[in-house]
Amino acid sequence: MSVSSFFQWLSTLSPWLQIPIVVGVFVIVVGLILFFIEIAPRPGRMYTIIRLAACVLGPALVLWLLQSYQWAIGAAAVLGLLFFFLDRRAKGGQGSLFQLVGFLTPALLLVGVGLVVATIQTTVQSFMNSSSTQFVGWDNYVWIFTNPQNVRVIINTVLWVLIAPIVSTAAGLAYAYFIDKIRGEKYYKIFVFLPMAISFVGASIIWRFMYTYRPPQGEQIGFLNQVIVWFGGQPINFLSVEPWNNLFLIVVFIWIQTGFAMVLLSAAIKGVPTEQIEAAELDGTNGWQKFWNVIVPGIRGALIVVLTTISIGSLKVFDIVRTMTAGASNTSVLANEVYTQFRSFEAGRSGAFAVILFLLVTPIIVYNAIQLKKQRELR
Amino acid sequence: MKTLRRGRVLISAAVLGMTGLALAACSGGPGQTNEGGGGSGDNTVTIYGTIADTEAELLEQSWADWEKENDIDIKYESSKEFEQQIAVRAQGGNAPDIAIFPQPGLMADMAKRGYLKEAPQAVADNVAKNWTEDWANYGTVDGTLYGAPLMASVKGWVWYSPKLFAEKGWEVPSDWQGLLDLTAQIQADTGKPPWCIGFGSDAATGWPGTDWIEDIVLRQSGTDVYDDWVANKVPFTDPKIKSAFDEFGKIALNPQYVNAGFGDIGTIVTTPFGDPASALVKGDCVLHHQASFYDGFITDAGGTVAEDGDIWAFLTPGFGGGDASGDVVTGGGEIVGAFSDDEATQKVQEYLSSEDWANSRVKLGGVISANKGLDPDNASSNILKEAIRILQSDETTFRFDASDLMPSAVGAGTFWKGMIDWVNGTPTDTVLEQIQAGWPSS
């Protein structure tokens, strides 16, 4: 039983029955929300208990309806924090540790089950054989690091992390800086931000058409090759020319992420105090110096966030590789290999790849957290 | 006012309590499986497979009458990503009732891990009656029968134009060396590459290359080596397998011989396997190696398949010296496995393994089956009749497509990828080591 099966059941009824049921469900949900808003500021043990119950039942309801741990974890965290603060307000500001624990337990439990246990399980799996029945020690890791093809997968992933974040952040920053405060800035922004609205798979299909190769004697149906042929060149087989094909895949990712970088950095540039910029201008800096010595230090925090976010994104890139080449011609990356091994019933090898991916992501996240903390201290 | 408020609280508490009870009563967390898979009702059977587009319509047509008679609703769903999706769906508890596996190896993987239900007795009886022992073995894992074969194809045909051959005085070769000589002769006569090869097939790119290798291994090294190769007793790195790659390389890696109508050697990987059909019909390409199902593609491209028509085919010749009197062929086919054992599902399984279904489907054209109860006259074209004759003949040495029998980590993984790398210029030894590395550890 989940949302989809509820709708399936609903669709079997006559339309006249459906209307009251849909309206009824809607009224119940709205009623619940209103009820919580209504009792939010009220003190008293009774209300605390009701709110506690909601912290447990809310996520349970989400888990059951959406069949997704992630959403349930999110719901539990949001509800727990929300009710904790509401309850503090109701108590006249006396938040006790006991209350905090009470309200956040469901969320922590779900995080434990959904993330921590999964991580431990995967790690254990990576030391077991393909059907997870026998302990095989480091065999899966040895298998990964002794096969040139698998080493190549790791190298490809590193290549992604080196190129994609830097290029898309640089492009986003340059673009944001150039269009800052000019007429029609909004429209220029939309223009670059639009690819963000396309899913990775959609973008991959679009780009596969861009890259499509046809032999020189035939009609070119790929845009890029048609342009090359118009200029009198030979069509290039973009997706199977090693090692450049990796770059052509990374281009797709950059195309999407540049918009993301541009929007965040543009907002950060606007946040640089005008006094500083004016002072720099009075000191007679040229545009280049102003950019490097005033703007960039001023948006350092935003730059780090953007770089780390895109780095994590490029580490776990899967859909682009899967859709465009399925990992053929040495374009496979870690996440794609995790999937490929898993569907070949090689849980151990798949787990080992996943652990390597996890180890690669960890330092970036740790660095990110440290930087955020430092910034908070500065303020 | 106060009482009112308390009443409100009570009501809301009651509502919450009721919700909690309702949740506890019918909740299943993630990963909960529906009994009978696919969430099917009593009379609905979901089938999942790779057969798509026109072929899928014909498939649904083939059981339409039977559905009405038996009041069972068969819902067929196809996916080009079947090989990847079926494992994910089974492991995620969202399996269909029946799956049509194009690779016995994949089916064996699923069966070994306990996802599949044993075939019902009625199916076992049909298999015993309608199929040879070889074929029955493809649906058997560790002595248990899990499913019956469905359709079949004979692989290893070399498609050519009889008209053009007669005009130029070229002869159909009788052994492998003859085929190489013929290739050289055509190249000399026309000044163009004779062969067209297309490996492209989306996520399954590379499989047409494995067919070549399998044909050569079977003809050059015989059935014992072939069987040992499938069982990983003869590794890919063995000289016998390497020699098959070398023989294939004499054609596929020679820029003078490929890729007719498409470009250089690099285009082999990017040419979808269906495209050479139109090159054949147009005459851009003289020779093409592909299974019996290709006659549908050639017909679609506007050619007629007949011994005196535009296009006909001869079987890839052997290496001579063999003691087999009949044909030596590789072939493919599907096995029908079930994830559910409810009554409707078993009825459908039984019907699909019967000669009635085989005849019903073959009449609609384009395919054949190795079912012994099949009347060859029902086949839609001469090449298919020929293929049925080969399948039903006791003289024939038949071996199932090796990559389909191997575990999917190799058969639908490193072997495909290896063929791509090999054509793209990776040294043979490296490729063979990489393919071999894909074998499951345990």
Side-chain angles (χ1 to χ4, degrees), chain A residues 64-254:
Chain A
W64 169 61
L65 287 177
L66 296 179
Q67 302 277 311
S68 144
Y69 274 117
Q70 285 87 352
W71 280 100
I73 292 168
V78 168
L79 282 172
L81 281 171
L82 188 74
F83 284 128
F84 172 69
F85 286 114
L86 288 176
D87 215 52
R88 268 179 63 181
R89 212 178 99 196
K91 282 239 152 164
Q94 302 167 339
S96 64
L97 187 68
F98 167 77
Q99 252 180 313
L100 183 65
V101 170
F103 279 117
L104 284 180
T105 303
L108 291 174
L109 273 178
L110 280 167
V111 168
V113 171
L115 294 176
V116 180
V117 172
T119 308
I120 294 168
Q121 235 177 358
T122 305
T123 312
V124 170
Q125 226 171 40
S126 71
F127 292 100
M128 308 277 265
N129 67 358
S130 63
S131 46
S132 301
T133 48
Q134 233 184 332
F135 183 77
V136 295
W138 291 94
D139 279 11
N140 292 317
Y141 294 91
V142 169
W143 176 79
I144 288 174
F145 287 104
T146 50
N147 271 318
Q149 244 180 326
N150 297 329
V151 175
R152 185 59 198 270
V153 166
I154 298 169
I155 292 172
N156 282 346
T157 305
V158 172
L159 196 74
W160 273 81
V161 179
L162 288 180
I163 298 171
I166 291 170
V167 175
S168 41
T169 311
L173 178 59
Y175 194 81
Y177 187 64
F178 277 124
I179 63 164
D180 200 38
K181 297 196 185 72
I182 60 168
R183 265 180 56 192
E185 184 186 345
K186 235 191 306 189
Y187 303 104
Y188 290 117
K189 270 192 182 169
I190 288 173
F191 185 65
V192 171
F193 190 71
L194 266 183
M196 267 300 275
I198 303 171
S199 70
F200 279 134
V201 172
S204 308
I205 291 171
I206 293 170
W207 278 89
R208 214 167 59 179
F209 281 122
M210 299 280 286
Y211 288 142
T212 305
Y213 168 89
R214 283 286 179 274
Q217 56 266 53
E219 286 265 324
Q220 291 299 331
I221 63 165
F223 178 77
L224 291 176
N225 274 321
Q226 182 61 65
V227 171
I228 291 171
V229 169
W230 274 332
F231 281 99
Q234 281 286 322
I236 301 166
N237 207 334
F238 286 102
L239 293 179
S240 62
V241 191
E242 297 174 35
W244 307 108
N245 48 10
N246 279 299
L247 288 182
F248 298 129
L249 294 188
I250 294 173
V251 164
V252 182
F253 187 76
I254 290 172

Side-chain angles (χ1 to χ4, degrees), chain A residues 343-373:
Chain A
R343 66 132 180 109
S344 307
F345 305 100
E346 290 290 327
R349 289 171 184 179
S350 168
F353 274 118
V355 169
I356 292 171
L357 185 58
F358 182 75
L359 290 178
L360 287 174
V361 173
T362 310
I364 299 179
I365 293 179
V366 169
Y367 173 75
N368 207 354
I370 292 172
Q371 286 298 330
L372 283 173
K373 207 170 164 189

Side-chain angles (χ1 to χ4, degrees), chain A residues 35 38 42 46-47 64 67 129-130 143 147 149 213 215 237 322 327 329 339 342-346 349, chain B residues 5 8-9 12 23 26 28 81 84 87 91 109-110 113 262 267 270 412 417 434 437 439-442:
Chain A
F35 165 76
E38 173 75 8
R42 291 186 196 163
M46 181 73 188
Y47 294 114
W64 169 61
Q67 302 277 311
N129 67 358
S130 63
W143 176 79
N147 271 318
Q149 244 180 326
Y213 168 89
N237 207 334
R322 171 100 198 105
S329 314
Y339 171 82
F342 181 76
R343 66 132 180 109
S344 307
F345 305 100
E346 290 290 327
R349 289 171 184 179
Chain B
R5 190 175 287 172
R8 217 188 261 171
V9 169
S12 8
L23 279 177
C26 55
E81 294 268 301
Q84 289 80 12
Q91 293 179 65
D109 276 334
M110 305 291 278
R113 284 168 176 76
F262 295 97
T267 58
T270 48
K417 279 218 180 94
Q434 285 174 358
W439 277 95
S441 40
S442 44

